């Protein structure tokens, strides 16, 4: 199997590529990474391709066609940050995903795995844990969530009537070695022994997924016969309150 991985230099991408490369010989898997720049730390067996701008339609189409892959895992995205505007999120996460999906259909890709986000169901919910049946309400979404939802819509639309199967994976907070953002800041505060006024926050619950677990699930999606044209909410299986999360980090 020949697999394209976009966003291969990111937090999830590094884990997935390393996992795929570890048994590439056994499974006869050829890995092609698509990133904005070359990376020295990629496994030597990986073929690297450059795509500085995913919304460059002509270059994107030529690259995907030249690779002639069996499957494509789309991890590349703008993640929540004050540096990005709503227009930035729409351009990369929505338009970019749509362009890539159409390119994959025209190139004969058989399976497209899209890493979306639980944010498409809202930043929080009062109806319990998010799952595949949680209703989507765009009025509850922030610009990031809206862009990821639009990316899902454009993928499904591009695949409709073609031989390409789509798979949408909606993870909650992803954690593990090398994680950045709010999780990393919280972990650093706990490590330094900073007093945190969070002991009373016990009634909430948050799902999370370890980056190694998420990478393994994506690998399953590449081959499992029942995964095609499905949406998956993947998580470790244990919901933590804010206090429990801090206690686990401290431990």
């Amino acid at each position: 199997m020949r697999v394209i991985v976009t966003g291969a230099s990111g937090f999830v991408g590094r884990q997935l590529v390393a996992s795929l490369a570890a048994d590439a010989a056994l499974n006869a898997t050829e890995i092609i990474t698509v990133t904005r720049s070359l990376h020295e730390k990629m496994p030597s067996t990986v073929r690297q391709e450059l795509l500085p701008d995913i919304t460059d339609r002509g270059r994107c189409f030529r690259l995907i066609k030249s690779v002639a892959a069996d499957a494509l895992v789309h991890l590349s995205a703008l993640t929540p940050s004050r540096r990005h505007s709503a227009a930035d999120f729409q351009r990369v996460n929505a338009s970019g995903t749509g362009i890539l999906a159409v390119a994959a259909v025209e190139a004969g890709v058989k399976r497209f795995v899209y890493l979306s986000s639980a944010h498409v169901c809202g930043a929080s919910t009062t109806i319990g844990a998010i799952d595949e049946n949680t209703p989507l309400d765009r009025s509850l979404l922030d610009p990031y969530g809206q862009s990821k939802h639009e990316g899902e819509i454009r993928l499904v639309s591009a695949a409709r009537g073609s031989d390409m199967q789509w798979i949408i994976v909606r993870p909650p907070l992803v954690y593990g070695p090398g994680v950045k953002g709010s999780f990393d800041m919280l972990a650093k505060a706990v490590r330094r022994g900073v007093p945190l006024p969070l002991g009373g926050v016990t009634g909430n619950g948050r799902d999370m997924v370890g980056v190694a677990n998420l990478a393994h699930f994506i690998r399953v999606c590449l081959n499992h016969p029942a995964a095609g044209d499905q949406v998956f909410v993947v998580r470790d299986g244990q919901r933590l309150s804010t206090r429990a999360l801090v206690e686990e980090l401290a431990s």
Side-chain angles (χ1 to χ4, degrees):
M1 171 184 281
R2 181 175 293 174
V3 180
I4 295 174
V5 180
T6 73
S9 61
F11 176 49
V12 178
R14 293 193 303 270
Q15 180 76 42
L16 177 62
V17 169
S19 179
L20 288 171
D23 62 355
L26 178 64
N27 294 327
T29 301
E30 183 180 352
I31 307 159
I32 300 92
T33 63
V34 175
T35 53
R36 288 178 295 176
S37 59
L38 296 178
H39 294 267
E40 296 179 356
K41 294 184 179 180
M42 286 291 176
S44 59
T45 55
V46 169
R47 168 182 163 189
Q48 296 191 60
E49 295 287 350
L50 296 179
L51 185 61
D53 184 358
I54 195 173
T55 64
D56 184 338
R57 189 180 184 91
R59 185 165 181 172
C60 180
F61 272 57
R62 289 192 297 272
L63 173 58
I64 302 304
K65 184 177 180 180
S66 69
V67 172
D70 302 294
L72 189 153
V73 181
H74 182 35
L75 307 177
S76 178
L78 288 186
T79 55
S81 170
R82 294 180 181 178
R83 296 176 300 168
H84 306 313
S85 66
D88 293 332
F89 286 125
Q90 282 293 317
R91 186 182 72 85
V92 175
N93 297 347
S95 298
T97 298
I99 290 170
L100 188 65
V102 174
V105 169
E106 294 198 4
V109 173
K110 298 302 181 185
R111 186 163 281 197
F112 190 117
V113 181
Y114 175 47
L115 188 67
S116 183
S117 170
H119 266 75
V120 302
C121 299
S124 63
T125 176
T126 59
I127 60 175
I130 292 171
D131 62 20
E132 291 81 1
N133 299 312
T134 299
L136 306 185
D137 184 348
R138 288 184 65 88
S139 67
L140 300 177
L141 303 185
D142 58 17
Y144 170 73
Q146 290 178 1
S147 69
K148 297 299 282 186
H149 184 214
E150 183 66 27
E152 293 183 3
I153 293 172
R154 296 194 186 200
L155 167 59
V156 174
S157 177
R160 186 175 295 118
S162 75
D163 294 330
M164 186 177 79
Q165 294 181 321
W166 55 265
I167 299 168
I168 294 170
V169 181
R170 296 173 179 166
L173 175 68
V174 184
Y175 68 92
V179 68
K180 302 297 183 183
S182 58
F183 192 96
D184 182 44
M185 289 189 290
L186 179 60
K188 288 178 178 176
V190 172
R191 186 180 300 116
R192 291 196 302 268
V194 176
L196 299 171
L198 303 172
V201 186
T202 60
N204 64 333
R206 180 155 194 170
D207 284 312
M208 299 185 292
V209 62
V211 65
N213 288 343
L214 178 58
H216 180 77
F217 186 81
I218 292 171
R219 288 179 56 191
V220 172
C221 288
L222 288 171
N223 295 291
H224 200 291
D229 298 343
Q230 299 292 323
V231 176
F232 296 104
V233 175
V234 58
R235 52 181 176 261
D236 286 345
Q238 180 183 8
R239 302 180 70 203
L240 295 176
S241 68
T242 301
R243 175 172 177 163
L245 172 59
V246 172
E247 289 175 344
E248 288 288 338
L249 284 171
S251 176

